[in-house]
C-alpha cells in the first residue's frame, strides 16, 4: 500500500476524526489553508492523532506534530499522551516553531524525549520560511523495523529493553 495521510488541524477544539487520503497534494492544499490562532489543545490533539493511526491501512505509522509547543486548552494530561504514544505503534515526529523553548521549555523536552522513544525525532524551525527545509529532513522512510519476540513467560510485560549496535556506514 502507498502512503496515506490524515491532517488533524486544531486550536482549542480537536476534531474527533480526520479523512485519510493518499493524495499528498491534497494534504498540502489543506495545510496551506490553515491559520494559527486561539488556544492550543496540544495533549488532546496528540491523543486523537495517535488514536487515528489505528484506522490507517499501512503497517508503518507516524504522527507529525507541527506546533509552537503551547498547551492551554486540553482536557487530557501529559501522562495519558505518553502512555498512548508508547502503546501505539507509531513514531512521533515533532517540528517546533519559533519561541518553542521560551513558551514551555519542559513541554519541548518531554516531546523531544517521547519522539526519540517512539522512533521519531524533533526538529526545529527558526521561522516559517525554514519549514520546507526542516520538513525535508524528516527521515520517516529511512527506518528499519526490528522485531523482538520475548522468551516464554515475559509476553505480558509491557516494554522490553533491546540494544542494537551498528558498525560502519550504517551507524549514524
Amino acid at each position: 500500500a502507498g502512503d496515506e495521510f490524515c491532517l488533524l488541524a486544531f486550536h482549542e477544539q480537536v476534531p474527533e476524526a480526520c479523512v485519510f487520503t493518499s493524495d499528498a497534494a491534497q494534504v498540502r492544499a489543506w495545510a496551506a489553508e490553515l491559520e494559527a490562532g486561539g488556544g492550543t489543545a496540544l495533549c488532546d490533539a496528540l491523543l486523537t492523532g495517535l488514536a487515528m493511526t489505528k484506522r490507517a491501512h499501512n503497517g508503518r505509522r507516524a504522527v507529525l506534530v507541527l506546533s509552537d509547543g503551547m498547551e492551554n486548552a486540553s482536557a487530557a494530561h501529559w501522562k495519558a499522551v505518553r502512555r498512548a504514544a508508547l502503546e501505539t505503534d507509531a513514531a512521533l515526529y515533532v517540528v517546533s516553531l519559533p519561541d518553542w523553548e521560551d513558551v514551555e521549555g519542559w513541554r519541548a523536552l518531554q516531546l523531544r524525549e517521547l519522539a526519540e522513544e517512539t522512533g521519531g525525532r524533533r526538529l526545529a524551525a527558526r521561522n516559517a520560511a525554514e519549514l520546507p527545509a526542516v520538513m525535508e529532513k524528516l527521515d520517516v522512510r529511512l527506518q528499519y523495523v526490528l522485531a523482538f519476540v520475548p522468551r516464554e513467560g515475559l509476553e505480558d510485560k509491557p516494554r522490553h529493553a533491546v540494544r542494537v549496535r551498528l558498525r560502519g556506514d550504517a551507524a549514524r
Side-chain angles (χ1 to χ4, degrees), residues 56-72:
H57 297 97
N58 292 331
R60 295 186 62 196
R61 298 175 173 107
V63 173
L64 171 63
V65 178
L66 176 63
S67 176
D68 62 3
M70 180 63 77
E71 165 56 78
N72 58 16

Side-chain angles (χ1 to χ4, degrees), residues 41-106:
L42 182 60
C43 288
D44 289 350
L46 282 166
L47 280 177
T48 301
L50 289 164
M52 289 303 301
T53 64
K54 296 175 184 175
R55 297 183 185 175
H57 297 97
N58 292 331
R60 295 186 62 196
R61 298 175 173 107
V63 173
L64 171 63
V65 178
L66 176 63
S67 176
D68 62 3
M70 180 63 77
E71 165 56 78
N72 58 16
S74 287
H77 296 281
W78 176 251
K79 287 181 182 180
V81 171
R82 181 172 168 67
R83 184 173 43 254
L86 295 175
E87 291 173 356
T88 304
D89 190 22
L92 179 64
Y93 291 86
V94 179
V95 176
S96 59
L97 298 173
D99 301 325
W100 175 291
E101 303 291 346
D102 296 335
V103 173
E104 259 183 283
W106 63 275

Side-chain angles (χ1 to χ4, degrees), residues 12-159:
E12 299 93 358
Q13 300 293 317
V14 179
E16 292 181 18
C18 58
V19 176
F20 279 94
T21 179
S22 58
D23 185 354
Q26 179 62 59
V27 175
R28 282 189 204 98
W30 289 338
E33 294 174 9
L34 296 177
E35 292 183 21
T40 306
L42 182 60
C43 288
D44 289 350
L46 282 166
L47 280 177
T48 301
L50 289 164
M52 289 303 301
T53 64
K54 296 175 184 175
R55 297 183 185 175
H57 297 97
N58 292 331
R60 295 186 62 196
R61 298 175 173 107
V63 173
L64 171 63
V65 178
L66 176 63
S67 176
D68 62 3
M70 180 63 77
E71 165 56 78
N72 58 16
S74 287
H77 296 281
W78 176 251
K79 287 181 182 180
V81 171
R82 181 172 168 67
R83 184 173 43 254
L86 295 175
E87 291 173 356
T88 304
D89 190 22
L92 179 64
Y93 291 86
V94 179
V95 176
S96 59
L97 298 173
D99 301 325
W100 175 291
E101 303 291 346
D102 296 335
V103 173
E104 259 183 283
W106 63 275
R107 178 76 65 215
L109 177 61
Q110 288 176 321
L111 278 168
R112 179 176 41 241
E113 289 174 353
L114 189 56
E116 291 170 0
E117 286 182 80
T118 61
R121 62 190 283 207
R122 176 187 172 241
L123 299 170
R126 289 180 295 207
N127 55 53
E130 280 189 3
L131 278 175
V134 169
M135 298 298 271
E136 288 292 324
K137 293 179 184 178
L138 292 176
D139 54 0
V140 175
R141 295 178 187 234
L142 301 176
Q143 295 181 351
Y144 296 93
V145 176
L146 176 68
F148 172 74
V149 179
R151 67 177 186 261
E152 194 171 324
L154 294 178
E155 299 91 357
D156 61 344
K157 302 284 184 191
R159 307 230 346 128

